[in-house]
Amino acid sequence: MKRIIVGTAGHIDHGKTSLVKALTGVDADRLKEEKERGITIDIGFADLTVGDVHFGFVDVPGHERFVKNMLAGAHGIDLVMLVVAADESVMPQTREHFDICRLLEVKSGLVVITKADLVDEELLQLVEAEVADFVAGSFLEGAPVLRVSSRTGAGVDELKKTLSQLAAKARERDENAVARLPIDRAFTIKGFGTVVTGTLIAGRIRAGDELEILPPISSSGPAPGRRARARGLQVHGKSTQEALAGERVAVNLQGIDLDEVERGQTLSPAGRLRTSSMLDARLRLLDSAPRGLRARSRVRLHIGAAEVLARVVPLGRMELASGASCFAQLRLETPTLALPGDHFIVRAYSPVVTIGGGVVIDALPSKHRLREAAQAASWLEKLEVADEFERVALLVEMAGERGMDQDEIAARSGSSNEVIKRAAESITKARRAVTASQAPKTALTPLIARPAFEELAGRVRATLKGFHRKSPLESGMGREEIREKIFAHLPPDIFRAVIANLVERNEVVAEKDLLRLSSHRVALSAEEQAAKDRLAALFAEAGLQPMPLEDAIAQSGVDAARAQRFAQMLINSGELVRVAGLVFHRSALDGLRETLRRFKAEHGPKLDVTAFKDLTGVSRKYAIPLLEYLDIQRVTRRSGDVREIL
Ligand SMILES: Nc1nc2c(ncn2[C@@H]2O[C@H](COP(=O)(O)OP(=O)(O)OP(=O)(O)O)[C@@H](O)[C@H]2O)c(=O)[nH]1
Ligand SMILES: [Mg+2]
């Protein structure tokens, strides 16, 4: 069954509530004060099924003082019934409500001329002509205009039929997107506890779901919301296990007190979305706005069911003129939940009139300073026209070298996991981004745009190049040193990924804790090469009875510091081997292994220290470290005083 939310709009007393009652049998005025005064004060609800369409009605107040209440309901509607009383025609709130519908980009609707029973045909035709003029050039141009009398019932059936036709053409809401329920009412029911209601504008909620209420009451900065389980759900007064986008939903929240929830908060899946204190948006001012909007003007921002005070910073200009549009950053005085694509209304701080509205483009932007306005605007230009997939790519590109993990992509885009996953795959495949981790990938694995990734790789190369130039005798630069120099403020995954990538491309060699360019060769002068060779030769000649390293260094023919480095190079390359405090040439140790192999063949595997000394001709000073070395190398195994040759 298709689910459509229909909103009323129109001037006070033009018959909106009566019309909803004529259609559904429900009096949407539920407050005592509304009944007494005969006017609507707050939004009211009713529903109706026609064929395979389920209509949820949101009836709004027409009084100019209650436009803010009207806005708490108007944000979620698919279809508008613009109500114009035949005896009064177009009036101020007809205009204001209609402006609001246009700014919210309500997609479809119709005009209902109510109180048709009160006037004659001539006047009806006049009103119809006025209405046609009024909606010309808008989304309602050419839309059905129906005459109805809620008193006699004339035209009501025709209206139902027309609503069904419009519903058939209405777009479906995305049930797979992240669920959001802007709360428009909160109350308690004896025996049940706290209940909140709202229009489920996206996704689905199931009984038992863990939800988050954002923002927390009276928070002054971004903070996680209060979490609560949905104990029970009702859609239009009927209990259900699951509510879908486009339905009016009541949620019974477990363990939540009434003073923890209020109109303007939003229910969403726990841990998924984040509140914002700034929004980047396309902002339009109405032609009818009494004056332009100067930079940093204070306005009332209505978004979802929330009203928050905000300052408007038009990007790249000092003032937005009436009738014009531009990119703007809205700086909110209290954080709220919003996502790209959300529409909002802006009302002047004083006098309180609707002056404009727009669409959120980036819900978690950074603060744009004056000189960054042009760059911010160029990103917004791309984001504004991006589809869900492209938005993921752009968000990653905007994040630059910091990259963006999937949790943040989810919070910032509002896209489903499925969309994010597919977008991540396609942009990595298209080589626009790199997934900065080896398996396993988690939600915290950042994606980093390829240019930013290459830039980091380039910096590693340049840093290594500089290092090699400065220290040609060092075999490499410390991994940690590079991390601190280039990646200190970045997620560790990004460091690992950049290094791994350079190694994979054979541009960098990682050896132990050192990194070097693969092209790096330690360049020695003839004198240095001779000294290094001499060191090696001293140990090769000494066999199993080498001199202490310091002595060899002293005989090398170059200064101790350089000789020390050559010794280290020989050790790094494996030509020299450290055994306890001694240094042996590789060939001497290889020879020893061979000697033992032959001994075992002739005399069997048992060998004690004395036999070892006889066999090799070394003193105890060398014999003990050598045997221990052989044990570690698993050439021999010690048991008591005897060793077994393996
Ligand atoms: N004769 C006649 N009277 C009507 C008709 N529709 C509404 N009325 C009367 O007009 C008055 C206002 O009707 P409502 O439905 O309360 O008007 P509303 O647009 O909901 O008013 P607000 O919610 O306060 O903006 C009531 O006294 C209704 O009885 C109609 O079709 N014919
Ligand atoms: Mg009413």
Side-chain angles (χ1 to χ4, degrees), residues 283-586:
L283 177 66
R284 261 173 250 289
L285 272 202
L286 289 168
D287 291 330
S288 60
R291 56 187 115 83
L293 202 51
R294 304 270 300 273
R296 305 194 57 76
S297 299
R298 205 169 183 216
V299 297
R300 298 163 194 275
L301 176 73
H302 293 262
I303 185 157
E307 176 186 5
V308 294
L309 292 172
R311 293 201 184 262
V312 175
V313 179
L315 293 186
R317 56 173 95 190
M318 290 317 292
E319 181 169 349
L320 178 60
S322 303
S325 101
C326 72
F327 292 127
Q329 184 157 69
L330 308 172
R331 308 217 173 121
L332 316 188
E333 292 182 17
T334 42
T336 193
L337 184 67
L339 285 177
D342 284 357
H343 289 81
F344 59 85
I345 294 295
V346 169
R347 306 192 81 210
Y349 184 70
S350 172
V352 188
V353 288
T354 302
I355 54 171
V359 188
V360 174
I361 300 174
D362 186 356
L364 291 166
S366 53
K367 190 168 182 167
H368 306 310
R369 294 173 204 289
L370 216 52
R371 64 190 146 76
E372 298 156 351
Q375 207 203 353
S378 80
W379 280 115
L380 290 173
E381 240 161 63
K382 292 183 205 158
L383 276 173
E384 189 178 28
V385 295
D387 62 14
E388 258 189 316
F389 291 90
E390 179 64 14
R391 183 181 295 133
V392 172
L394 289 169
L395 286 175
V396 169
E397 283 169 1
M398 283 164 71
E401 62 178 19
R402 278 185 305 110
M404 197 178 276
D405 64 50
Q406 310 220 355
D407 271 5
E408 190 176 348
I409 295 174
R412 223 163 140 166
S413 65
S415 293
S416 65
N417 289 341
E418 180 59 25
V419 167
I420 294 169
K421 188 168 151 262
R422 277 166 45 206
E425 278 165 11
S426 84
I427 60 178
T428 41
K429 214 164 145 201
R431 298 180 59 79
R432 276 179 81 176
V434 181
T435 307
S437 131
Q438 298 91 327
K441 296 190 179 78
T442 70
L444 295 176
T445 299
L447 278 169
I448 170 170
R450 186 159 285 274
F453 189 85
E454 293 299 349
E455 154 83 22
L456 286 170
R459 269 157 68 194
V460 171
R461 274 193 301 262
T463 304
L464 286 177
K465 199 168 167 194
F467 178 86
H468 292 323
R469 192 179 305 130
K470 226 176 97 194
S471 316
L473 299 184
E474 300 282 348
S475 46
M477 187 173 173
R479 229 183 137 85
E480 269 312 289
E481 212 182 324
I482 295 212
R483 198 184 63 73
E484 267 160 38
K485 221 171 158 153
I486 305 175
F487 298 86
H489 57 294
L490 300 177
D493 271 341
I494 291 193
F495 169 60
R496 282 196 288 270
V498 169
I499 301 301
N501 184 270
L502 284 166
V503 169
E504 204 171 286
R505 287 193 252 164
N506 292 325
E507 293 184 38
V508 165
V509 177
E511 241 167 26
K512 294 178 194 153
D513 288 336
L514 297 182
L515 297 173
R516 64 174 159 88
L517 290 178
S518 50
S519 57
H520 173 63
R521 298 277 176 279
V522 174
L524 302 181
S525 66
E527 182 208 13
E528 287 168 338
Q529 189 62 48
K532 187 178 162 208
D533 291 348
R534 180 159 170 69
L535 267 180
L538 280 171
F539 286 98
E541 282 156 22
L544 293 174
Q545 302 193 74
M547 65 184 78
L549 182 58
E550 304 80 71
D551 295 357
I553 283 174
Q555 296 178 28
S556 68
V558 292
D559 57 278
R562 272 190 294 169
Q564 179 71 51
R565 226 174 257 153
F566 300 152
Q568 191 56 52
M569 284 165 70
L570 290 165
I571 289 169
N572 286 347
S573 71
E575 194 170 348
L576 296 185
V577 181
R578 263 187 206 286
V579 175
L582 303 167
V583 173
F584 294 90
H585 198 270
R586 169 102 262 151

Side-chain angles (χ1 to χ4, degrees), residues 579-633:
V579 175
L582 303 167
V583 173
F584 294 90
H585 198 270
R586 169 102 262 151
S587 60
L589 296 173
D590 288 346
L592 177 58
R593 279 173 204 255
E594 180 56 23
T595 308
L596 289 178
R597 201 183 56 74
R598 259 191 256 125
F599 177 88
K600 183 181 172 188
E602 277 172 47
H603 307 284
K606 297 276 185 264
L607 178 77
D608 61 13
V609 176
T610 313
F612 181 76
K613 279 163 52 185
D614 290 348
L615 183 66
T616 56
V618 303
S619 69
R620 196 172 175 82
K621 180 180 146 200
Y622 296 102
I624 300 299
L626 279 171
L627 279 167
E628 280 166 5
Y629 167 77
L630 292 170
D631 290 341
I632 292 168
Q633 298 290 312

Side-chain angles (χ1 to χ4, degrees), residues 12-18 39-40 62 115 117 149-151:
I12 185 166
D13 244 13
H14 276 202
K16 297 180 289 300
T17 305
S18 304
I39 62 164
T40 304
K115 307 194 186 186
D117 56 294
S149 168
S150 302
R151 180 150 299 168

